């Protein structure tokens, strides 16, 4: 864990390699994943780089591989995995360890192989498209012939008869001509021209509307759907189509109809005279035979394409990994600079503990080519550029590190918030989500993800599933702490568990006959070990009338304690950073005033909470209570001390009243007289204080404590207030002052009488502004952030109350009804619990815990402006390419 606290030490190196061995050197360095190269050619465009031709070749190979993958998808063929990434990186084809082929030879071999497969596949696709077009045309012609013949055999005579009847007997007689009945025969013999074809069913309505508008209704259109969908030769999708026949009586209309058909991409077919039945039958028979032949050839082509795609599916991922690896090598070589002919120089960051491995890899690559004396790997002396940040993580720590990196990358060697987040994040989530039953569901879900860890590591997961897999340990810990907090609250689906036997008991409880308003009595003496529930809260609180009041007070104080401790821990980390980086001004004039301010007000608040919890208030309040020595309550074990009778009772005064410590009570006495502690204020130390009032009075009423807890509380709070008041101006002015003095002294030493006073004045102003922002953010942030931690109490209360409502309204309300009502009530209870508490509330608590860490905790010390270490790594580029 110590390595996780601060990032790995980095070294900036200069690498000089022989151009002939450069490929092998980078091939070996890519396996190590410990070097991040710096671009030494920032002024050159990508097309001016030395190895741009190789990168273009790799891009072309990637295009071909994407084409292969798309063709395999058309046949629903899954690309077969190329095996384990680590095995491929270390022992794959083209690896310098195998020595089968050099990088250039391997790239050329892959290019030739892919070119052959691409040509074959393109040729088959073109032939398939041509065959599909021919096949579709024959299918459409067959449908047009059948539909047209059916129309002329059935619909046409019926329509002719209907029109003839209308002309003879219809209407007002204005349709008859002067020639009388002789014209009817000529009308029956009149022949109309027609256009037949096929149009998409989706375009049918628009097609018909366009014909009507273009010809002004002087056409007769009929449609008949084709039952079998037709395959689009270009996209391969099935398209619904319909046969159409349009009758018209004008050459100009024919021209318009042909243009409309072309616009709607409707296929037109020429038909023989429909009255010649033998010719139609002969044409149908010939077309049907050709249709069978075309289908046979098309299926053969499809089978050949399928078998070729099967071969490609087995090799595509392996080819992709080879291409990505080679592209990464040449892309990195483009960052090198050629200062001397035949030599390349590169610079970059390397993890310090792996520096020797990098040197060894470069030396071996040169030695294999008998170029051992022409290599040089050495560290570059300071000043360095800003080093990148790298943490060595494992399966458990990876999720938490990404959790922090999402907000911002830590600075180089800065304290890593992820180390603390790994413990505090699931714990604070559990505080908000605390429930044994609900937490168990989440815990089991995390265990399920852990059980399938190996299978999911090798599987190709979606974005959401991959996120759940990466956070599997976090989910399991969130569930565990939710169960743990549920045991602390003694809450399981809003019900208390009497695991160890309650330490409270109601009168007639054993007879299940407890009266409303009854008060529970402890089963053992107050303050004794037997009176304390062994773990968590006593289940009797869940059935008491003051349950909400008690849980609110407990959870609110718990939230404040946890929040202040976490923020104070963040402030301490700021001090550790200042010590590590030897920033004395930050330590003395930022860290120490911050600690003084936080401790004097907020740590003191935590102290008062614990002190109030630790005091036996029954004994204190009883010590100031006036009792008669003859009463039954005299001599009660609740008072810690020796019971003493007062003088008035000893002298035999009638109705004498005494306090347990022997004070003679008189009319008009208050706690200032009857309390033996003498701490001052109205309570004098015997009255439990309202802590909120006490804390407010520290600032608004210095020196006044109405209900003190300990002796001298007013003076101590005055000292604490003075410390807090002094720390603020120190935090605001001390660091800018000393920085100004230091920069001014250095300036006069280096450049005497340079006239740079305005620049230094402006620098001092900027420092003051920055420090003022820092001071305001810290001082106000301590107050607002403390209030922000009350979300722990609010969400825990909301969770328990929602669970209680679901149980009472869905389950309890139906238990005394019939079986069906109970069954329905359980369904409602299970559904609301699953949807609201196990999904929405998990997300809500997760986001609130996320905010507490990103804002309240990390802003005390975390700069989040670091540079992420992006090593030259074959494994990483292969994983990224597979994910995309």
């Amino acid at each position: 864990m110590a390595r996780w606290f601060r990032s790995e030490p980095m070294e900036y190196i200069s690498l000089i390699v022989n151009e002939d061995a450069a490929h092998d050197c980078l091939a070996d360095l890519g396996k190590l994943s410990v070097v991040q190269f710096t671009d030494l050619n920032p002024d050159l465009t990508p097309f001016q780089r030395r190895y741009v031709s190789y990168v273009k070749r790799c891009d072309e190979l990637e295009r071909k591989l994407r084409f292969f993958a798309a063709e395999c998808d058309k046949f629903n063929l899954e690309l077969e995995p190329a095996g384990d990434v680590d095995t491929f990186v270390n022992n794959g084809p083209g690896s310098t360890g195998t020595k089968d082929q050099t990088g250039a030879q391997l790239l050329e071999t892959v290019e030739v192989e892919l070119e052959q497969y691409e040509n074959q596949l393109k040729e088959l696709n073109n032939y398939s498209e041509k065959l599909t077009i021919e096949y579709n045309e024959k299918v459409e012609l067959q449908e047009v012939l059948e539909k047209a013949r059916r129309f002329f055999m059935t619909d046409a005579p019926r329509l002719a008869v209907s029109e003839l009847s209308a002309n003879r007997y219809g209407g007002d007689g204005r349709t008859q001509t002067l020639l009388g009945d002789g014209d009817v025969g000529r009308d029956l013999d009149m022949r109309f021209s027609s256009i037949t074809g096929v149009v998409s069913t989706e375009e049918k309505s628009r097609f018909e509307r366009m014909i009507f508008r273009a010809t002004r209704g002087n056409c007769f259109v009929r449609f008949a759907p084709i039952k079998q969908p037709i395959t689009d030769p270009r996209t391969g999708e099935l398209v619904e189509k319909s046969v159409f026949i349009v009758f018209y009586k004008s050459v100009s209309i024919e021209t318009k109809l042909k243009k409309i058909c072309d616009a709607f991409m409707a296929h037109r077919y020429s038909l023989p005279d429909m009255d010649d039945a033998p010719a139609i039958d002969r044409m149908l028979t010939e077309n049907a035979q050709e249709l069978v032949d075309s289908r046979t050839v098309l299926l053969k082509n499809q089978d050949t394409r399928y078998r070729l795609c099967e071969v490609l599916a087995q090799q595509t991922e392996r080819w992709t990994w080879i291409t990505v690896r080679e592209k990464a090598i040449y892309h990195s070589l483009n960052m090198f600079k050629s200062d001397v002919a035949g030599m390349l120089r590169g610079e970059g960051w390397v993890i310090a503990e792996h520096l020797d491995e990098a040197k060894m890899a470069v030396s071996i690559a040169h030695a294999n080519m008998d170029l051992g004396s022409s290599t040089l790997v050495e560290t570059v002396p300071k000043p360095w550029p800003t080093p990148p940040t790298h943490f060595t993580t494992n399966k458990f720590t990876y999720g938490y590190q990404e959790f922090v990196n999402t907000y911002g990358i830590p600075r180089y060697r800065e304290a890593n918030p992820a180390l603390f987040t790994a413990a505090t994040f699931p714990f604070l989530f559990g505080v908000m989500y605390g429930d044994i039953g609900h937490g168990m569901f989440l815990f089991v879900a995390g265990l399920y993800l852990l059980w399938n860890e190996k299978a999911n590591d090798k599987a190709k997961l979606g974005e959401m599933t991959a996120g759940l897999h990466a956070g599997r340990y976090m989910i399991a810990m969130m569930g565990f702490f939710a169960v743990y907090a549920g045991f602390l609250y003694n809450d399981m689906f809003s019900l208390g568990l009497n695991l160890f036997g309650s330490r409270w008991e109601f009168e007639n409880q054993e007879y299940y006959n407890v009266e409303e308003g009854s008060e529970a009595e402890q089963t053992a003496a107050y303050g004794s070990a037997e009176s304390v529930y062994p773990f968590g809260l006593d289940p009797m609180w869940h059935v008491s009338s003051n349950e909400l009041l008690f849980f609110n007070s407990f959870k609110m104080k718990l939230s404040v304690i946890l929040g202040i401790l976490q923020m104070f821990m963040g402030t301490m980390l700021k001090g550790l950073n200042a010590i590590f980086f030897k920033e004395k001004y930050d330590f003395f004039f930022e860290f120490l005033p911050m600690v003084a301010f936080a401790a004097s007000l907020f740590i003191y608040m935590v102290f008062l909470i614990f002190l109030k919890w630790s005091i036996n208030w029954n004994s204190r309040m009883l010590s100031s209570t006036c009792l008669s020595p003859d009463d039954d309550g005299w001599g009660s074990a609740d008072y810690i001390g020796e019971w003493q009778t007062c003088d008035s009772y000893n002298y035999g005064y009638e109705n004498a009243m005494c306090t347990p410590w022997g004070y003679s009570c008189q009319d008009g006495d208050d706690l200032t007289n009857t309390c033996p502690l003498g701490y001052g204020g109205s309570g004098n130390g015997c009255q439990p204080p309202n802590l909120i009032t006490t804390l407010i009075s520290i600032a608004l009423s210095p020196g006044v404590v109405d209900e003190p807890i300990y002796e001298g509380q007013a003076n101590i709070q005055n000292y604490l207030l003075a410390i807090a008041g002094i720390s603020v101006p120190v935090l605001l002015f001390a660091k800018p002052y000393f920085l100004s003095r230091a920069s001014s002294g250095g300036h006069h030493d280096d450049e005497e009488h340079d006239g740079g006073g305005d620049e230094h004045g402006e620098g001092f102003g900027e420092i003051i502004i920055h420090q003022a922002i820092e001071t305001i953010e810290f001082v106000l942030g301590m107050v607002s952030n403390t209030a922000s931690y009350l979300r722990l109490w609010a969400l825990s209360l909301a969770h328990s109350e929602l669970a209680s409502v679901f149980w009472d309204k869905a389950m309890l309300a139906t238990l005394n009804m019939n079986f069906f009502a109970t069954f329905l009530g359980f369904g409602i209870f299970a559904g609301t619990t699953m949807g609201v508490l196990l999904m929405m509330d998990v997300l809500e608590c997760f986001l609130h815990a996320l905010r507490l860490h990103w804002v309240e905790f990390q802003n005390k010390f975390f700069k989040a402006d670091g540079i992420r270490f992006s090593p030259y790594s074959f494994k990483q580029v292969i994983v990224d390419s597979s994910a995309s």
Side-chain angles (χ1 to χ4, degrees):
M1 288 300 173
R3 292 185 61 182
W4 200 26
F5 182 57
R6 296 197 184 276
S7 60
E8 297 286 342
M10 292 286 175
E11 293 285 352
Y12 195 71
I13 62 170
S14 175
L15 172 68
I16 299 177
V17 297
N18 190 290
E19 188 172 359
D20 295 334
H23 181 279
D24 289 352
C25 287
L26 265 69
D28 287 342
L29 290 176
K31 299 176 186 178
L32 298 178
S33 304
V34 296
V35 181
Q36 175 182 325
F37 290 109
T38 303
D39 190 2
L40 301 182
N41 306 300
D43 298 332
L44 298 181
T45 65
F47 299 101
Q48 296 173 328
R49 303 288 175 127
R50 190 178 189 86
Y51 293 91
V52 63
S53 61
Y54 291 93
V55 176
K56 287 182 178 180
R57 289 167 64 185
C58 293
D59 289 337
E60 178 64 16
L61 291 178
E62 287 183 329
R63 183 198 62 78
K64 294 177 181 179
L65 291 168
R66 288 193 298 269
F67 170 65
F68 293 162
E71 291 299 315
C72 291
D73 286 341
K74 292 180 180 179
F75 291 102
N76 296 323
L77 289 174
E78 291 287 338
L79 300 182
E80 294 189 11
D84 184 62
V85 177
D86 293 324
T87 304
F88 174 84
V89 168
N90 295 319
N91 305 312
S95 174
T96 55
T98 60
K99 290 302 174 188
D100 295 332
Q101 290 177 311
T102 64
Q105 291 172 342
L106 178 63
L107 191 63
E108 187 174 349
T109 302
V110 173
E111 281 181 323
V112 171
E113 195 171 3
L114 295 189
E115 183 71 23
Q116 293 175 353
Y117 281 119
E118 185 188 29
N119 291 336
Q120 292 179 30
L121 196 53
K122 281 186 174 180
E123 184 178 351
L124 288 172
N125 285 345
N126 293 334
Y127 192 40
S128 174
E129 184 175 345
K130 180 180 178 182
L131 289 174
T132 303
I133 293 174
E134 293 179 358
Y135 177 75
N136 288 347
E137 288 177 352
K138 295 185 185 302
V139 171
E140 291 176 357
L141 178 59
Q142 192 78 5
E143 293 289 337
V144 168
L145 286 171
E146 293 178 355
K147 298 293 191 296
R149 185 174 64 169
R150 185 178 301 114
F151 172 77
F152 279 98
M153 291 176 62
T154 58
D155 291 355
R158 177 173 52 81
L159 291 173
V161 171
S162 300
E163 186 177 352
L164 177 60
S165 302
N167 288 336
R168 286 183 174 180
Y169 309 110
D172 53 5
R174 287 179 293 178
T175 59
Q176 297 183 11
T177 64
L178 294 175
L179 297 177
D181 296 339
D183 291 338
V184 175
R186 285 196 298 272
D187 289 340
L188 289 174
D189 293 335
M190 183 180 294
R191 302 299 298 269
F192 284 83
S193 301
S194 64
I195 289 180
T196 54
V198 176
V199 70
S200 172
T201 304
E202 185 179 356
E203 300 286 347
K204 187 179 75 170
S205 299
R206 294 176 58 238
F207 180 71
E208 185 178 12
R209 189 162 52 249
M210 180 62 71
I211 290 175
F212 179 82
R213 291 175 178 173
T215 63
R216 299 183 181 181
N218 290 313
C219 284
F220 179 70
V221 186
R222 294 300 301 270
F223 291 94
I226 299 176
K227 295 182 179 179
Q228 196 71 19
I230 296 177
T231 304
D232 189 307
R234 290 178 177 80
T235 63
E237 298 178 355
L238 296 177
V239 180
E240 298 285 344
K241 291 194 174 184
S242 298
V243 175
F244 67 87
I245 180 167
V246 183
F247 294 96
Y248 59 91
K249 192 60 178 173
S250 170
V251 177
S252 60
I253 292 179
E254 180 181 6
T255 304
K256 292 181 180 179
L257 291 176
K258 289 180 178 179
K259 290 182 179 179
I260 292 172
C261 290
D262 294 338
F264 282 86
M265 293 192 302
H267 298 158
R268 292 180 283 110
Y269 295 94
S270 300
L271 300 182
D273 189 356
M274 300 307 295
D275 292 336
D276 189 358
I280 296 297
D281 291 339
R282 185 169 53 256
M283 189 174 184
L284 280 170
T285 304
E286 292 174 356
N287 188 71
Q289 183 60 42
E290 293 176 0
L291 193 60
V292 172
D293 296 340
S294 296
R295 179 174 176 80
T296 303
V297 177
L298 185 61
L299 291 176
K300 184 66 176 177
N301 174 271
Q302 186 176 356
D303 181 64
T304 305
R305 289 168 55 214
Y306 180 80
R307 283 187 279 108
L308 179 59
C309 287
E310 279 185 325
V311 175
L312 295 176
Q314 296 173 1
Q315 301 293 332
T316 296
E317 186 164 287
R318 185 180 69 88
W319 288 331
T320 301
W321 288 6
I322 293 173
T323 305
V324 167
R325 184 187 63 190
E326 294 300 313
K327 185 178 180 180
I329 292 175
Y330 291 115
H331 179 72
S332 298
L333 285 174
N334 278 332
M335 298 182 182
F336 283 50
K337 196 164 188 174
S338 179
D339 296 324
V340 180
M343 304 297 291
L344 295 176
R345 178 175 62 88
E347 294 181 0
W349 295 102
V350 62
I351 302 174
E353 69 174 0
H354 297 290
L355 178 59
D356 292 337
E357 296 178 28
K359 290 182 178 180
M360 182 65 67
V362 174
S363 299
I364 291 175
H366 280 74
N368 290 336
M369 301 186 69
D370 298 328
L371 299 170
S373 61
S374 59
T375 178
L376 178 64
V377 179
E378 61 179 3
T379 58
V380 177
K382 296 182 179 179
W384 291 343
T386 303
T389 302
H390 172 69
F391 295 97
T392 302
T393 57
N394 53 35
K395 294 178 181 179
F396 176 80
T397 58
Y398 172 77
Y400 294 102
Q401 190 61 56
E402 290 301 311
F403 179 92
V404 171
N405 291 346
T406 304
Y407 177 80
I409 306 298
R411 282 184 179 178
Y412 177 67
R413 305 292 286 164
E414 181 185 24
N416 184 16
L419 175 63
F420 308 93
T421 299
T424 56
F425 177 80
F427 177 74
L428 292 185
F429 174 88
V431 170
M432 290 183 281
Y433 196 72
D435 188 285
I436 300 172
H438 301 146
M440 189 61 69
F441 277 100
L442 192 60
F443 183 55
V444 170
L447 293 180
Y448 175 78
L449 291 173
L450 294 177
W451 178 265
N452 293 322
E453 178 180 295
K454 292 184 178 179
N456 290 333
D457 280 337
K458 299 179 181 179
K460 292 184 178 179
L461 306 175
E463 183 178 0
M464 182 176 293
T465 310
L468 292 175
H469 175 65
R472 57 195 180 278
Y473 288 97
M474 183 185 296
I475 294 173
M477 289 188 66
M478 287 161 54
F480 171 79
F481 280 108
V483 174
Y484 173 76
F487 277 109
L488 285 181
Y489 302 153
N490 203 341
D491 199 352
M492 181 173 182
F493 299 118
S494 79
L495 303 176
L497 301 179
N498 193 10
L499 300 177
F500 308 105
S502 176
R503 270 43 174 181
W504 296 85
E505 188 176 21
F506 286 101
E507 185 179 359
N508 297 326
Q509 177 178 320
E510 62 274 15
Y511 303 112
Y512 304 101
N513 187 24
V514 179
E515 295 183 4
E516 188 73 24
S518 299
E519 292 188 5
E521 299 291 339
Q522 284 194 299
T523 57
Y526 177 81
S528 64
E530 292 77 12
S531 67
V532 180
Y533 196 71
F535 186 82
L537 299 177
D538 197 293
M540 196 61 74
W541 286 109
H542 285 279
V543 297
S544 62
S545 59
N546 58 344
E547 171 195 7
L548 192 60
L549 184 64
F550 171 78
F551 276 101
N552 273 349
S553 176
F554 169 73
K555 292 182 179 180
M556 182 168 62
K557 291 183 175 65
L558 180 66
S559 301
V560 170
I561 292 171
L562 293 176
I564 291 176
L565 292 181
Q566 187 177 33
M567 289 190 295
F568 192 74
M569 181 176 66
T571 307
M572 298 304 293
L573 290 175
K574 183 180 183 68
L576 292 179
N577 282 337
I579 294 173
F580 181 83
F581 293 114
K582 298 179 181 180
E583 297 171 340
K584 59 180 182 179
Y585 294 140
D586 286 352
F587 182 81
F588 289 107
F589 304 126
E590 277 193 356
F591 167 67
L592 291 182
M594 286 179 178
V595 169
F597 182 84
S600 59
L601 295 179
F602 297 92
I603 297 298
Y604 179 67
M605 182 195 308
V606 176
F607 166 75
L608 289 181
I609 293 174
F610 278 105
L611 183 61
K612 182 179 178 181
W613 279 347
S614 64
I615 292 174
N616 189 336
W617 290 106
N618 281 356
S619 177
R620 280 200 180 188
M621 289 188 293
L622 186 58
S623 68
S624 61
T625 303
C626 295
L627 301 170
S628 173
D630 298 328
D631 290 345
D632 295 337
W634 187 265
S636 171
D638 289 341
Y639 175 66
I640 302 175
E642 183 180 355
W643 287 80
Q644 299 178 9
T645 56
C646 57
D647 293 339
S648 59
Y649 179 79
N650 293 334
Y651 294 151
Y653 290 123
E654 186 178 358
N655 298 327
M657 304 291 286
C658 305
T659 61
W661 57 281
Y663 173 78
S664 299
C665 296
Q666 300 177 7
D667 293 339
D669 283 344
D670 54 18
L671 291 178
T672 57
N673 306 115
T674 59
C675 182
L677 300 178
Y679 292 163
S682 62
N684 212 13
C686 290
Q687 181 70 25
N690 186 320
L691 292 182
I692 297 178
T693 304
T694 301
L695 294 170
I696 293 175
S697 65
I698 293 177
L700 299 184
S701 302
V704 177
V705 182
D706 189 47
E707 297 172 338
I709 303 179
Y710 59 91
E711 189 173 6
Q713 182 175 349
N715 292 330
I716 291 178
Q717 290 182 174
N718 284 339
Y719 294 141
L720 294 176
L721 182 62
I723 292 172
I726 293 172
S727 64
V728 174
V730 172
L731 180 62
L732 178 59
F733 296 111
K735 181 181 175 180
Y737 171 73
F738 285 100
L739 283 177
S740 176
R741 285 192 56 184
S743 62
S744 177
H747 169 71
H748 288 300
D749 289 341
D750 297 337
E751 301 178 12
E752 295 183 0
H753 310 293
D754 189 40
D758 291 339
E759 292 183 4
H760 286 286
E762 181 181 358
F764 178 74
E766 290 180 355
I767 295 174
I768 281 288
I769 293 173
H770 179 271
Q771 196 64 23
I773 295 173
E774 187 88 8
T775 303
I776 294 172
E777 183 180 3
F778 177 77
V779 173
L780 297 183
M782 284 300 296
V783 179
S784 63
N785 293 347
T786 302
S788 182
Y789 274 95
L790 292 177
R791 71 186 67 236
L792 297 173
W793 155 55
L795 267 76
S796 176
L797 176 66
H799 182 92
S800 60
E801 292 302 307
L802 279 173
S804 178
V805 169
F806 294 158
W807 174 260
D808 291 341
K809 301 303 181 183
M811 283 300 297
L812 287 185
T814 58
L815 282 177
N816 294 327
M817 300 181 186
N818 54 43
F819 170 78
F820 179 76
T822 304
F823 182 79
L824 182 62
F826 174 77
I828 296 174
F829 171 74
T832 52
T833 299
M834 176 63 70
V836 178
L837 297 178
L838 293 180
M839 291 185 179
M840 292 175 57
D841 203 39
V842 167
L843 180 60
E844 184 180 14
C845 293
F846 179 91
L847 293 176
H848 281 283
L850 180 72
R851 181 240 155 80
L852 289 177
H853 283 79
W854 279 2
V855 179
E856 277 70 26
F857 172 56
Q858 292 179 181
N859 71 354
K860 298 295 181 291
F861 68 98
F862 189 40
K863 301 300 182 182
D865 57 356
I867 302 171
R868 186 166 191 164
F869 180 62
S870 300
Y872 166 62
S873 169
F874 289 155
K875 181 178 180 180
Q876 190 60 47
V877 295
I878 289 174
V879 170
D880 291 343
S881 68
S882 299
S884 61

